[in-house]
Amino acid sequence: MTRSPVLRVGVKILLPYIMLFALYVQFHGDLGAGGGFQAGVIFAAAMILYSLVFGLEAARRVVPPRVAEVFMALGLLLYGGTGVAGLLAGGNYLDYAVFSPHHPQHGQHWGIFAVELGVGLAVSAVMLSIFFSFAGRRRAE
Amino acid sequence: MTWQPALGEEWIVLPLLTLLACTAIIIVRMRSLFAAVMLTGAYSLLGASWMLLLDAPDVAFTEASVGAGLSTVLMLGTLALTGREAKAPRQRPLVPLLLVALTGAALVYGTLDMPFYGDPGAPVQRYPSPSYLERMPGEFDVPNAVTAVLASYRGYDTLGETTVIFTAGIGVLLLLRGRPKRNESADAASRKRDRA
């Protein structure tokens, strides 16, 4: 935790925009550059910045490590589940066109949206978990 | 027809690649690990700029956020656990130097056979990417071809990558967790010793 007011105020001003940018990259990824992976990393970077300036404990209160672990699995499940949903709808695994039989393009869009969301969740949770477990260790004597 | 740089682009590309090479040499010669980690971050950022010049914004994006951002922080976290100085080498590394020079020469020799950058006759341009680009407008209303290929045409690959990231996360958690428990038992042991 740092006491420097410049850092604290600067990070407080920056954080909302970093997170907003992560959401933009996540949900605008099919239209522009970016996607779930980049968005997840940016979101994790925002939390890491918060934890560098306000301390690990503060960051752990915002995203408890247990929650990060659950989201890790949830993201992957969302990806795999989208594939299974395609199976249930009568198509192939990870075939999104069947979600909307009359507008296969919409189905593809929904599928990509769900899959990218899964990637974003999994990546941000994994990055955060790795950071927490590194930062939470004491120096080996 | 080979790749024609945009007007004046070589004035950006050449300094960028020179800076990349300089950074790499400085990192190799440096003993302070802290400075080396910061310089690898700078190296990643330069690499990201270079990929942006190659018209690969998605890759540049990933390189900038992962290479320059996250991995730098993780390396700093590792430094906090280990030490800030590299040990000086005990002997002159002649054999490794020879090995690296040979491998580098073999790689450069390998690039002689590669098609030029942007060559329309290159295998990667002929198959399968045109078929994706030709099929895309009919099958997707998603304008970003990279996303369409990653998430739909190559959905299995991306599923595999996500699984790899997930597995890496699980692995790190398994390796680095369990530490507090041992600390507690160590604390208990030291308390017992104090009492004795």
Side-chain angles (χ1 to χ4, degrees), chain B residues 115-132:
Chain B
F116 284 110
Y117 175 74
D119 183 3
V124 68
Q125 309 285 2
R126 271 186 285 177
Y127 182 82
S129 64
S131 57
Y132 285 148

Side-chain angles (χ1 to χ4, degrees), chain A residues 29 45 58 69 72-73 91-92 95 98 116 131 141:
Chain A
E69 282 159 35
M72 227 157 100
N92 292 323
D95 177 10
V98 290
E116 292 277 357
F131 174 74
E141 299 299 332

Side-chain angles (χ1 to χ4, degrees), chain A residues 23-103:
Chain A
L23 290 178
Y24 166 78
V25 170
Q26 170 80 56
F27 296 119
H28 200 259
D30 40 4
L31 304 172
F37 187 85
Q38 289 92 336
V41 171
I42 292 173
F43 191 81
M47 285 311 302
I48 289 174
L49 182 64
Y50 181 73
S51 126
L52 288 179
V53 173
F54 293 94
L56 194 59
E57 281 316 306
R60 277 196 171 142
R61 273 199 299 278
V62 179
V63 184
R66 177 65 53 184
V67 172
E69 282 159 35
V70 169
F71 271 98
M72 227 157 100
L74 214 63
L76 191 58
L77 270 179
L78 182 58
Y79 199 132
T82 312
V84 174
L87 277 183
L88 292 180
N92 292 323
Y93 189 68
L94 288 179
D95 177 10
Y96 317 132
V98 290
F99 290 149
S100 171
H102 301 296
H103 295 280

